[in-house]
Amino acid sequence: MAKYRKLGRTSAQRKALLRNQVTAVINNGKIVTTEAKAKEVQKIVDGLIALAVKEKDNFETVKVTTKVARKDKDGKRVKQIVDKETGKVLAESHRDKDGKLVKIENGVTVTVYDEVEKEIKKDLATRSHARRQMLKVLNPVVEVPADAAGKKKNTKEVDLVAKLFDEYAPKYATRKGGYTRIVKIGQRKGDAAMTVVLELV
């Protein structure tokens, strides 16, 4: 038999379909699909989780100093007016008591930054390579909150690679393969194709 199922599609269409379904499984934990598609998706998902488990501790913790914008009590950035040439602070705020913008000759408005020390995870070479291999398969996912649907600023991108490394890898660390299961749920009404639930164990 051939190494993989063609699924009645051209190679580009098949790759797109499998990428979408793999992304959905990693993001949601389960999908409903046909048996043939589920068996193909299962191979890829199990491979990605196995890769995450293998590389889960392959990083070093590094301390870095970064600049973070100072914020006021309302959560807005603090801005000052400084001299264009000397950089000397001319006014502590760029707005007056009434909230109107202040303009000073030869002054420019700048955001105030504080230096903060952070601990970050720095990937080692093999983990970086694993990350790139995962990104080759996974599609970007944007999460839209239900209460503010349609507002672009409230959307956020889901980091599925981080989910694989931080959530799934520790969960399946002791398991030797078989991270997904296929459960048959009966035939589909239109074409009597066997439908299944592909879910993470």
Side-chain angles (χ1 to χ4, degrees), residues 15-181:
K15 280 174 194 166
L17 170 92
L18 293 175
R19 279 184 71 181
N20 285 337
Q21 293 206 327
V22 168
T23 303
V25 171
I26 302 284
N27 191 31
N28 305 319
K30 66 178 181 178
I31 56 166
V32 176
T33 184
T34 61
E35 194 174 7
K37 287 176 198 163
K39 284 178 179 176
E40 286 299 307
V41 172
Q42 187 178 34
K43 280 190 226 172
I44 302 165
V45 172
D46 281 354
L48 289 180
I49 294 173
L51 194 60
V53 169
K54 185 183 170 190
E55 299 293 338
K56 78 180 170 71
D57 298 323
N58 212 354
F59 63 87
E60 56 189 14
T61 310
V62 182
K63 278 188 178 179
V64 292
T65 309
T66 58
K67 285 184 175 179
V68 179
R70 195 185 294 168
K71 299 204 173 165
D72 60 11
K73 61 180 185 293
D74 301 326
K76 292 181 179 175
R77 290 181 170 200
V78 175
K79 294 187 178 180
Q80 293 176 335
I81 299 174
V82 297
D83 194 287
K84 229 183 250 184
E85 286 136 25
T86 61
K88 191 179 171 189
V89 178
L90 301 173
E92 283 299 320
S93 176
H94 70 301
R95 293 183 185 271
D96 60 13
K97 291 173 188 172
D98 304 325
K100 291 179 182 171
L101 288 170
V102 175
K103 286 190 178 176
I104 299 174
E105 197 180 326
N106 212 25
V108 63
T109 304
V110 292
T111 305
V112 182
Y113 288 95
D114 296 322
E115 282 199 354
V116 179
E117 218 175 60
K118 283 184 179 178
E119 276 195 355
I120 60 162
K121 289 179 181 177
K122 187 183 175 191
D123 290 348
L124 295 177
T126 51
R127 185 169 155 126
S128 283
H129 179 59
R131 187 180 289 274
R132 288 190 199 99
Q133 284 178 304
M134 289 170 183
L135 288 168
K136 212 160 58 171
V137 178
L138 298 169
N139 284 331
V141 175
V142 176
E143 207 170 65
V144 182
D147 54 330
K151 290 189 179 173
K152 196 173 181 182
K153 68 178 181 181
N154 293 326
T155 62
K156 62 175 183 179
E157 200 163 310
V158 181
D159 191 352
L160 292 180
V161 176
K163 194 172 188 177
L164 276 164
F165 281 132
D166 303 336
E167 193 180 317
Y168 294 142
K171 183 180 172 186
Y172 298 120
T174 55
R175 198 179 179 94
K176 297 268 189 274
Y179 308 112
T180 53
R181 73 162 72 94

